[in-house]
């Protein structure tokens, strides 16, 4: 502000005195509030980390020892398997349920709505225990023609904890996935598919080429969240004694009583897997966002 | 078009007693129309009179309830078996629609594709053209609507007028026999209307058969061969632009023309 007093001349740009004026240094307003918040949070973070690192009760040497323990690693593998299987099947089933909902047929819609109502409305924990004990309800499950040959038969007793876990997680997750898929498809304007029909596409092709790729823009990030959620939700199946990551840690600390360090071991693995998934999700979002977040292009 | 045999060929669009209802709402109450080859046909009328619905029946985006509706001699969504019209499905319905172009009020460009890909999509996935050939065709068509430099832009990066011109190029890429326009300039800012009408004028003078729903009376007067005035699901009056616009016979037509200025 003082510069105006120092340069009272009214000469236009380009004259000698002006060169200095355009070279003045701009001093930003100090942001005391922001600095204070940074300082407080930095101190807090240092405090928490130091308390954890320096606290002997965390037993970091034991954490390190068990991080790559065979039982832990095989538990980690079961967790990954369950996540991949349950999530893939849930996506497929969710798409089917969404198609029923979007079909426009009142009865198909009602069926899908009833499914979602049931599987979203009861606790997953209860569903898992239910599937684990299915043999009490149906000792024998068979599909066949009444009075004719049996096409498929399965004894309820031979259901393993892994199967019960996969079925329970899949059926529960499918209810959520169908809502995500349905929302994604509805987020694409009706005119898009219609424009596809107008250039001579069949309904199926218009859906596949035009509507679906745009729907994925909404579906992919939400599904990414569900995968991350599922990775951690698999720990619930420890109640039916399936040795996934958390239950494997529990198996060990039941013997050694090193409860906290083993929970830290499991948590570190969950954190690591979630980090990988988040990175993958970021790239998928970019891939499916084409045409919507072009640099400087969004209105 | 100059062929003497032209008179022997069926009209491009032939509608006889076409009716259509949505639930209990009768939207088309027996439409009779004939659009000749190379004709520019303008449909005018108050909002809600059934103009869009009729246009959508022509390429079977809506199914008619009764009557006869053919394009270039072929039924669009049906095949005839004796006294029955059997609704077509899948591939057959789609391929009959492929050569009837449609330009929408809100452009409906594929939002996840560039302008170039929008125009290439039909040739590649419906006409099974080679990518390179389709690309060349698309670039040519974009140049013809004055958008050669916007080939790589996404719809969200284009103005309304530019989007509508890409949409016209996309329809042209299917080598249509007939182009349907549903209020192509109604969603545009006033200063962008003329660039779209200019493209449409060029198509008309190139001999394209066009059915245009429009509120642009100056365009209709200049370009149309015939004007049809529709109201409440019936054709009230039709004729040349000077007949309908300068000397309307019906009171409803006069009232409508007075209201649009
Ligand atoms: N899909 C539909 N379902 C129910 N009613 C519709 C549908 N499409 C159009 N209509 C109704 O049909 C009537 C005619 O609509 P439209 O053909 O769009 O008229 P215009 O294009 O002349 O304004 C309106 O009353 C409209 O509400
Ligand atoms: Mg309309």
């Amino acid at each position: 502000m003082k510069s105006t007093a120092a340069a009272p001349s009214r000469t236009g740009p380009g004259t000698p005195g002006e060169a200095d004026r355009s070279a003045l240094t701009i001093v930003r307003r100090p942001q005391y509030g922001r600095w204070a918040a940074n300082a407080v949070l930095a101190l807090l973070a240092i405090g928490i980390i130091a308390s954890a690192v320096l606290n002997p009760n965390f037993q970091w040497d034991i954490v390190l020892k068990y991080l790559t323990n065979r039982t832990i690693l095989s538990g980690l593998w079961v967790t990954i398997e369950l996540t991949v299987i349950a999530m893939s099947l849930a996506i497929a089933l969710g798409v089917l349920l969404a198609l029923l909902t979007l079909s426009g047929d009142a009865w198909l819609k009602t069926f899908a709505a009833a499914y979602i109502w049931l599987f979203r409305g009861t606790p997953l924990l209860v569903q898992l225990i239910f599937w684990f004990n299915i043999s009490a309800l149906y000792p024998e499950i068979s599909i066949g023609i009444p009075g004719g040959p049996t096409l498929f038969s399965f004894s309820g007793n031979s259901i393993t904890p892994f199967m019960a876990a996969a079925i329970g997680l899949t059926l529960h997750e499918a209810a959520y996935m169908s809502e995500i898929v349905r929302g994604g498809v509805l987020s694409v304007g009706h005119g898009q598919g219609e424009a596809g029909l107008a250039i001579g596409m069949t309904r199926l092709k218009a859906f596949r080429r035009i509507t679906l790729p745009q729907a994925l823009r909404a579906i992919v990030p939400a599904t990414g969240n569900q995968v991350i959620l599922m990775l951690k939700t698999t720990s619930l199946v420890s109640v039916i004694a399936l040795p996934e990551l958390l239950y494997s840690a529990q198996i060990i600390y039941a013997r050694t009583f090193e409860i906290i360090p083993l929970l830290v071991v499991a948590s570190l693995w969950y954190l690591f897997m979630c980090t990988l998934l988040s990175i993958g999700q970021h790239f998928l979002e970019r891939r499916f966002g084409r045409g919507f977040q072009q640099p400087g292009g969004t209105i | 078009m100059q062929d003497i045999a032209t008179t022997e060929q069926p009209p491009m669009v032939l509608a006889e007693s076409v009716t259509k209802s949505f639930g209990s709402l009768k939207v088309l109450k027996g439409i009779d129309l004939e659009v000749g080859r190379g004709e520019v046909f303008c449909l005018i009328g108050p909002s809600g009179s059934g103009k869009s619905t009729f246009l959508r029946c022509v390429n079977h985006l809506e199914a008619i309830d009764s009557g006869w509706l053919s394009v270039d001699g072929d039924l669009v969504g049906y095949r005839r078996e004796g006294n029955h019209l059997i609704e077509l499905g899948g591939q057959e319905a789609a391929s009959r629609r492929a050569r009837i172009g449609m330009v929408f009020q809100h452009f409906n460009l594929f939002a996840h594709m560039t302008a170039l890909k929008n125009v290439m999509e039909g040739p590649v996935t419906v006409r099974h053209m080679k990518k390179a050939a389709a690309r060349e065709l698309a670039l040519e068509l974009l140049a013809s609507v004055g958008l050669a430099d916007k080939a790589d832009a996404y719809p969200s990066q284009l103005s309304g007028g530019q989007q509508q011109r890409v949409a016209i190029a996309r329809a042209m890429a299917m080598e249509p026999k007939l182009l349907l326009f549903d209020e192509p300039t109604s969603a545009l800012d006033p200063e962008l209307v003329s660039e779209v009408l200019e493209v449409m004028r060029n198509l008309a003078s190139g001999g394209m058969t066009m059915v245009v729903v429009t509120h642009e009376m100056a365009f209709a007067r200049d370009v149309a061969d015939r004007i049809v005035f529709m109201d409440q699901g019936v054709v009230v009056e039709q004729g040349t632009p000077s007949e309908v616009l300068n000397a309307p016979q019906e009171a409803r037509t006069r009232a409508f023309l007075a209201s649009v200025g």
Side-chain angles (χ1 to χ4, degrees):
Chain A
M1 292 300 116
K2 275 178 264 170
S3 61
T4 43
S9 76
R10 292 188 148 275
T11 48
T15 54
E18 287 294 311
D20 301 328
R21 215 194 278 190
S22 61
L24 294 175
T25 309
I26 290 171
V27 180
R28 296 277 173 219
R29 266 181 64 227
Q31 308 208 319
Y32 300 115
R34 206 189 274 195
W35 296 341
N38 268 305
V40 168
L41 287 180
L43 280 176
L44 204 61
I46 291 170
I48 289 171
I49 292 170
S51 81
V53 171
L54 301 177
N55 183 343
N57 294 335
F58 270 98
Q59 297 170 284
W60 290 103
D61 50 329
I62 296 174
V63 169
L64 216 59
K65 187 178 105 193
Y66 281 112
L67 204 52
T68 53
N69 174 284
R70 279 181 60 117
T71 309
I72 292 291
L73 288 186
S74 84
L76 175 66
W77 182 241
V78 173
T79 291
I80 293 171
E81 265 183 332
L82 259 187
T83 303
V84 170
I85 291 174
M87 210 57 219
S88 316
L89 294 177
I91 288 172
L93 187 56
V95 168
L96 273 176
L97 287 166
L99 290 179
L100 293 187
T101 314
L102 295 166
S103 69
D105 183 287
W107 284 112
L108 295 180
K109 252 190 213 173
T110 307
F111 176 85
Y115 179 98
I116 293 166
W117 169 76
L118 181 63
F119 284 92
R120 208 170 54 173
T122 52
L124 175 57
L125 198 55
V126 173
Q127 291 179 33
L128 287 169
I129 297 171
F130 174 88
W131 291 111
F132 187 54
N133 293 295
I134 189 73
S135 65
L137 279 177
Y138 298 98
E140 171 96 11
I141 301 160
S142 58
I143 299 173
I145 301 154
T150 303
L151 302 173
F152 168 86
S153 164
F154 185 82
S155 163
N157 287 316
S158 60
I159 194 162
T160 64
F162 188 88
M163 282 162 68
I167 293 171
L169 290 171
T170 298
L171 296 185
H172 180 258
E173 181 62 27
Y176 286 90
M177 279 310 302
S178 81
E179 290 291 277
I180 289 172
V181 172
R182 185 178 71 97
V185 170
L186 289 180
S187 75
V188 181
H190 186 243
Q192 291 285 309
E194 207 157 67
L197 294 181
I199 58 169
M201 291 181 171
T202 57
R203 281 187 182 284
L204 184 66
K205 190 176 267 186
F207 182 76
R208 216 163 37 76
R209 296 276 315 163
I210 310 299
T211 306
L212 187 61
Q214 296 183 61
L216 285 177
R217 187 172 56 98
I219 294 172
V220 164
T223 305
N225 277 335
Q226 292 299 111
V227 176
I228 289 173
L229 208 58
M230 173 66 86
L231 182 80
K232 294 172 297 171
T233 305
T234 54
S235 63
L236 271 187
V237 311
S238 55
V239 297
I240 55 172
L242 177 67
E244 41 65 65
L245 184 52
L246 181 64
Y247 193 63
S248 302
Q250 288 172 341
I251 289 173
I252 298 175
Y253 72 62
R255 192 161 32 80
T256 68
F257 299 103
E258 293 155 328
I259 299 176
I260 298 296
L262 276 151
L263 288 180
V264 171
V265 166
S267 298
L268 285 176
W269 277 116
Y270 282 119
L271 268 176
F272 174 72
M273 298 300 298
C274 284
T275 308
L276 287 188
L277 287 171
S278 304
I279 293 170
Q281 186 183 9
H282 170 77
F283 283 103
L284 277 176
E285 273 180 41
R286 269 221 317 224
R287 165 73 178 70
F288 288 105
R290 280 184 309 189
F292 298 92
Q293 49 196 37
Q294 289 302 300
T298 41
I299 308 168
Chain B
M1 295 300 131
Q2 298 95 327
D3 198 349
I4 315 255
T6 305
T7 48
E8 309 294 322
Q9 288 178 332
M12 189 54 84
V13 179
L14 181 61
E16 288 172 0
S17 316
V18 169
T19 70
K20 169 77 190 173
S21 305
F22 290 111
S24 59
L25 179 70
K26 254 184 166 277
V27 178
L28 301 178
K29 302 171 184 162
I31 302 287
D32 295 289
L33 283 177
E34 194 176 320
V35 181
R37 289 160 180 276
E39 238 180 15
V40 175
F41 202 89
C42 282
L43 268 177
I44 61 173
S47 165
S49 56
K51 306 180 299 293
S52 299
T53 304
F54 177 72
L55 216 57
R56 294 161 57 78
C57 286
V58 171
N59 70 350
H60 198 56
L61 283 178
E62 300 287 356
I64 64 175
D65 295 336
S66 70
W68 177 274
L69 185 46
S70 67
V71 172
D72 198 18
D74 289 328
L75 289 160
V76 184
Y78 303 88
R79 85 191 128 78
R80 183 175 181 172
E81 269 182 24
N83 284 329
H84 299 275
L85 296 183
I86 318 271
E87 186 161 18
L88 296 174
Q91 193 57 55
E92 225 177 337
S95 55
R96 290 197 188 186
R97 197 186 274 135
R99 298 209 45 205
I100 305 170
M102 184 148 194
V103 175
F104 299 88
Q105 182 175 356
H106 296 285
F107 333 131
N108 295 3
L109 286 184
F110 306 136
H112 60 311
M113 297 182 187
T114 61
L116 182 72
K117 287 277 165 57
N118 262 277
V119 183
M120 284 172 65
E121 182 66 17
V124 171
T125 63
V126 178
R127 290 171 63 197
H128 303 293
M129 235 174 162
K130 286 262 184 320
K131 274 235 170 88
R135 190 188 159 80
E136 206 161 303
L137 171 68
L139 285 172
E140 229 168 77
L141 284 167
L142 284 176
S144 77
V145 297
L147 291 172
D149 56 330
K150 294 291 183 190
D152 293 323
Y154 281 91
S156 60
Q157 297 166 313
L158 298 172
S159 73
Q162 291 169 331
Q163 289 189 58
Q164 195 59 296
R165 286 185 281 152
V166 174
I168 294 173
R170 175 176 70 180
M172 291 301 295
M174 299 304 292
E175 298 188 347
K177 310 190 259 203
L178 167 68
L179 268 187
L180 309 172
F181 293 83
D182 191 1
E183 301 196 27
T185 57
S186 297
L188 298 178
D189 292 336
E191 76 273 18
L192 302 177
V193 169
S194 63
E195 65 185 54
V196 172
L197 293 182
E198 182 62 31
V199 168
M200 292 170 62
R201 271 173 219 272
N202 289 341
L203 288 177
S205 59
M208 176 58 69
T209 311
M210 296 161 54
V211 179
V212 185
V213 174
T214 187
H215 291 298
E216 296 290 331
M217 291 305 151
F219 174 83
R221 186 186 299 276
D222 279 7
V223 183
D225 296 301
R226 296 182 73 73
I227 292 183
V228 168
F229 173 68
M230 264 179 79
D231 190 19
Q232 296 182 3
V234 296
V235 171
V236 175
E237 183 163 1
Q238 60 175 309
T240 63
S242 59
E243 282 167 357
V244 176
L245 300 180
N246 297 347
Q249 302 298 303
E250 301 287 331
R252 278 196 273 177
T253 318
R254 284 195 288 272
F256 173 74
L257 291 174
S259 73
V260 296

